[in-house]
Amino acid sequence: MPGINGFEMLARLGFAARALMYAAIGYLALRLGRTEDNEGALAYIQGVGGGILLSIMAIGFLGYGVWRLSEALIDTEGQGTGAKGIAQRLGGGVSGIIHLFLCWAAIGLATGGKGSSSDSAEQGASTALALPGGSWMLVVVAAILLALAAFQIVKAYRLGFLKHLDPAAAGRPWIAWVGRAGYLARGVVFAMTALFMWEASRQERAAAAGGMEQALDRIPDDWQVLVAAGLFLFGVFSAVEAVYRRITDPQVLDRLRRHVSAG
């Protein structure tokens, strides 16, 4: 079917872009003692690799975002319509939206912009608190982040991420441990950001909100090293996914063909 191979290539490029971003976050914390969020990592990558590399990453984030949104909208992963399937598809949709924002941020940096001048989590909290019922909106966001944290930790414990890999990669112990460390670190970061959002809601103060950078800052030094190493390893695992993720599963292709034909 026309477009399927290109769609797969963009999704894989997105995994590669995510690999670079998380590796940069981990490297900066471990090597330079510098905590950064996603946009800070992209700014660092721009300084090292230039606008061309960042432009390629932007294309990857776009492809990855569209792929994850397709997972939510047309169930390309075959999660189904049960409660668990709906939750996983919603998670895919959230991830897709986040990566579209990362695409926008990368484009801005690649074309000469300076990126966000202040913390995006604080900006979002400030916008929410300015609306009626804004503090309750932040409670909902905190609950979603906490659920995502639990999902990451459970996935790490059960090695649920391996089912999406080619069997040749899924059977390698080092890949299992790299993925497990990465998902555990992400779970910690999501849990910390949920706490920040809860505090912002409780205090009705946007400055209490925070993202990955603030989460790493708040973690005690010894644990910060472990979490930063986990984030770096999540970058390594994302590079593995760029090669071995089962994007071309025959059932996935059949579902895509049906939806394209119906359209």
Side-chain angles (χ1 to χ4, degrees):
M1 188 189 76
I4 286 292
N5 289 335
F7 186 72
E8 177 190 348
M9 181 184 70
L10 287 176
R12 294 193 185 281
L13 184 60
F15 279 111
R18 191 177 73 173
L20 280 176
M21 184 181 69
Y22 272 95
I25 291 170
Y27 171 80
L28 288 170
L30 291 169
R31 185 75 176 180
L32 304 179
R34 173 178 154 192
T35 57
E36 293 286 358
D37 59 9
N38 294 338
E39 288 193 31
L42 292 178
Y44 172 77
I45 291 170
Q46 180 198 29
V48 173
I52 294 178
L53 175 59
L54 210 58
S55 298
I56 294 172
M57 290 180 68
I59 295 171
F61 286 137
L62 175 63
Y64 185 90
V66 171
W67 177 61
R68 294 308 300 268
L69 286 173
S70 73
E71 176 185 336
L73 296 174
I74 62 176
D75 194 16
T76 56
E77 294 285 280
Q79 304 290 0
T81 56
K84 182 179 178 181
I86 291 295
Q88 291 175 326
R89 290 168 65 180
L90 286 175
V94 171
S95 177
I97 292 170
I98 289 172
H99 281 81
L100 291 181
F101 276 111
L102 287 174
C103 170
W104 180 258
I107 289 172
L109 287 166
T111 55
K114 296 182 179 180
S116 177
S117 59
S118 60
D119 177 59
S120 57
E122 182 178 337
Q123 288 181 334
S126 178
T127 300
L129 289 172
L131 299 172
S135 61
W136 285 105
M137 293 181 191
L138 295 185
V139 170
V140 172
V141 172
I144 292 172
L145 288 169
L146 190 59
L148 288 172
F151 180 70
Q152 303 293 306
I153 293 169
V154 169
K155 183 180 282 191
Y157 176 73
R158 295 182 176 176
L159 297 176
F161 49 86
L162 292 178
K163 67 182 180 181
H164 299 298
L165 297 180
D166 184 275
R172 297 175 186 174
W174 73 267
I175 290 179
W177 283 107
V178 164
R180 173 171 274 167
Y183 277 103
L184 279 174
R186 291 228 305 173
V188 171
V189 170
F190 278 125
M192 292 292 292
T193 53
L195 177 62
F196 294 149
M197 283 298 175
W198 165 256
E199 286 297 320
S201 170
R202 187 177 65 83
Q203 300 175 20
E204 295 190 351
R205 188 171 65 92
M212 184 177 297
E213 179 181 354
Q214 290 73 26
L216 288 171
D217 282 335
R218 187 76 63 89
I219 298 171
D221 289 345
D222 291 343
W223 288 98
Q224 183 188 96
V225 170
L226 291 176
V227 174
L231 294 174
F232 181 86
L233 290 175
F234 188 76
V236 174
F237 180 73
S238 295
V240 170
E241 288 189 289
V243 179
Y244 293 107
R245 186 61 153 79
R246 288 191 296 104
I247 296 171
T248 54
D249 184 282
Q251 293 181 353
V252 174
L253 294 179
D254 287 342
R255 282 190 291 274
L256 286 171
R257 289 189 180 96
R258 287 198 298 270
H259 281 285
V260 170
S261 299

